[in-house]
Amino acid sequence: APRREEIRYIAGRRALLLHPTTSSKQPVDHPPLIILGGMAQSIASWEFHLPHFAKDRSVLIYECLGQGPLPPEEICSKANVDTYYADVSLERQGSDFWNVVDEAFENDGKVDVVGFSFGGRVAMAATVSQPNRIRRLHLTGVAAERDEYANVLLASWKEMLGANDVDIIGVKEETNNSRLRAFAWSIILATYSEQFLASVGAARVHTWVDGVCKFNTQNGLKAILLQTHGGEGQWTPASMAEEMKGSVESYKLVVGSNDKMASPDQVFRLAQLLGKQEESNEENDCYKVVENCGHAVPFEAMRLWREDVIKYLT
């Protein structure tokens, strides 16, 4: 098994590092892998995948600003709690990414990145922030634009998390926060395919809701929703794709055939905007549709998705 460090804060972000057990030096063609999860995910969401990725390279996973629990006082003092999520924009997240990576690995070399959903957009922002430092970029569930149904879902989540409310600072027990629990149920129902949820059953989904609430805060997720989901400007996936052309060695885009948040057509369009995709809508080395999956391909088709990542990165 890979050697895991303790979860700790790196450049102010809650992070986990894993290293291969081999005593030999890391191969030149295996740079560190950075994993960025979806909006309401945490390090715990990825525990099953991590050992597989860390067999022959160092792996870093961290929670972006707005994700994860409220940090300890040495990271965020009580005096700063009400401004802690004041800027969780993609521009900020992109520069944060390199602060975390450079502190974790103590160099400014190249990295590979796997990004899912919100994490994929952060990975794109990081590419814009420092071009030519990401070698290979594997994105799942990231579209050029959102379809109208996805916009309806986003509007409902903002309302659930109290976008129009006065902030309730420091809710002591987020697992019993009814707004956060309602949001967690809704995002799970939107993210996974109906067949998959029916197969795992309500009791198991209930534990996932508990996990979302245990490892996230209402105010952090609300900030991400309000600040990183605009349909216009420099930090949309379509705009970032234009800026990224030529600054990544290669990329791979993956989407579930039943994705409600990032439709296969819009993921294909993003592949075209990145500049290496043929006109035909068929799969090739840059674009893959996973049949009968919703948005959460890494968790509905775990082995298939993970093998695709490993094959692509090596």
Side-chain angles (χ1 to χ4, degrees), residues 90 117 120-122 124-125 128 139 141-146 228-245 253 262 265-275:
L90 286 172
S117 193
R121 292 187 295 123
V122 172
M124 293 180 75
V128 171
L139 302 175
V142 183
E145 292 180 14
R146 275 183 297 278
T228 70
H229 287 81
E232 299 174 353
Q234 180 186 357
W235 301 100
T236 64
S239 297
M240 289 190 286
E242 296 285 359
E243 284 196 57
M244 284 168 55
K245 281 182 181 175
L253 273 70
D265 285 350
Q266 286 292 346
V267 174
F268 178 73
R269 183 169 161 245
L270 185 64
Q272 290 178 307
L273 288 171
L274 283 163

Side-chain angles (χ1 to χ4, degrees), residues 251-253 277 283-288 308 311-312:
Y251 69 91
K252 177 77 177 274
L253 273 70
Q277 186 66 42
E283 288 186 22
N284 61 22
D285 290 343
C286 301
Y287 172 77
K288 181 182 185 71
D308 183 78
K311 181 182 176 186
Y312 166 67

Side-chain angles (χ1 to χ4, degrees), residues 27-48:
V28 184
D29 59 343
H30 281 63
L33 172 63
I34 320 302
I35 296 175
L36 297 169
M39 179 172 61
Q41 292 191 310
S42 64
I43 292 168
S45 309
W46 293 84
E47 286 286 4
F48 192 83

Side-chain angles (χ1 to χ4, degrees), residues 8-20:
R8 59 189 169 95
Y9 282 81
I10 299 176
R13 301 289 164 258
R14 187 169 175 266
L16 171 64
L17 265 167
L18 297 92
H19 306 283

